[in-house]
Amino acid sequence: MRLILLGPPGAGKGTQAQRLVEKHGIPQLSTGDMLRAAVQAGSEVGKRAKAVMDAGELVSDAIVNAIVAERIDQADCAKGFILDGYPRTLVQADAVESMLSQRGIGLDTVIELVVDDRALVGRIVKRAEDAKSAGQPVRKDDNPAVFEERLREYYKKTAPLTGYYYAKGKLKTVDGMASIDAVTAEIEAVLAAATRAR
Ligand code: AMP
């Protein structure tokens, strides 16, 4: 099963991806997590990405495409994977197409979590508070000012992907404002239908 989770920052992609990992035994490929790990490790990629991430802007397509291309060749991706936070631009979406076709594999479905913008800032503030009270590091970009920029980037560069995947007959939408369990159930229903259609 290969799927993409689409949706603005704070839509719940990460939370749902973790549940899918548990249920389906396929890895979550979060480019955000990979980039944060690179920043933490102080690698060349991390050094180039840090300021861009802190500002809430998008890291270059070349960097993220290279990271994902390398990652999907690892053994744990053989049965499938969940792309979380990638692709985020049309250039990245085209890169996914060629990465998969070069490997003779396809995409099963793209699930968009549809959410109300006004609720998102509240979710981000809560995510920062939860991390803090759990003694975990708070993401530098989880604050309202940077969040505004992340949302702008989403509408400018990522939202067009819904049309891109709709045109390919791959897009399914799920109400991301429902409870976490209800969203999971809706995603599972979409995946079951996609599996039946295969
Ligand atoms: P996320 O954890 O998905 O919210 O990503 C955090 C930050 O990492 C984003 O605001 C971007 O700066 C960067 N990032 C993550 N994924 C991508 C991507 N696919 N393309 C460009 N930048 C990305």
Side-chain angles (χ1 to χ4, degrees):
M1 171 79 62
R2 289 172 216 96
L3 70 132
I4 292 176
L5 289 180
L6 270 185
K13 300 186 296 296
T15 303
Q16 295 299 331
Q18 279 161 21
R19 290 180 162 210
L20 290 165
V21 168
E22 274 170 36
K23 172 127 200 258
H24 298 275
I26 51 174
Q28 167 194 17
L29 309 191
S30 156
T31 41
D33 285 350
M34 294 182 217
L35 289 166
R36 279 184 288 278
V39 170
Q40 198 73 36
S43 69
E44 207 44 56
V45 163
K47 281 182 200 145
R48 283 161 65 189
K50 187 177 185 313
V52 180
M53 293 171 74
D54 287 349
E57 291 160 13
L58 293 189
V59 173
S60 80
D61 292 327
I63 289 182
V64 286
N65 289 341
I67 293 179
V68 174
E70 197 184 307
R71 182 68 184 87
I72 62 172
D73 284 334
Q74 291 174 13
D76 62 337
C77 291
K79 276 198 331 186
F81 45 79
I82 305 147
L83 293 176
D84 161 16
Y86 177 90
R88 258 176 157 102
T89 64
L90 290 166
V91 171
Q92 292 177 22
D94 282 339
V96 173
E97 288 281 311
S98 48
M99 269 179 226
L100 298 186
S101 69
Q102 277 163 15
R103 289 162 177 82
I105 52 182
L107 197 61
D108 291 287
T109 189
V110 177
I111 299 179
E112 180 193 6
L113 299 182
V114 180
V115 287
D116 172 0
D117 282 7
R118 286 162 303 179
L120 293 178
V121 181
R123 283 191 182 186
I124 289 288
V125 169
K126 186 170 180 310
R127 180 157 82 186
E129 283 167 2
D130 288 350
K132 205 170 165 189
S133 56
Q136 291 163 354
V138 176
R139 281 174 55 168
K140 249 191 166 166
D141 59 354
D142 270 355
N143 72 66
V146 179
F147 182 75
E148 290 285 325
E149 182 55 28
R150 290 165 64 200
L151 207 53
R152 260 196 301 276
E153 287 281 82
Y154 176 80
Y155 284 110
K156 250 192 308 194
K157 298 173 183 166
T158 311
L161 297 191
T162 57
Y164 177 97
Y165 287 115
Y166 176 79
K168 289 178 184 291
K170 293 275 184 219
L171 185 74
K172 298 282 178 253
T173 56
V174 162
D175 174 13
M177 298 310 291
S179 69
I180 294 176
D181 286 346
V183 175
T184 304
E186 235 192 293
I187 290 176
E188 289 302 336
V190 167
L191 294 181
T195 305
R196 278 196 302 275
R198 253 199 279 176

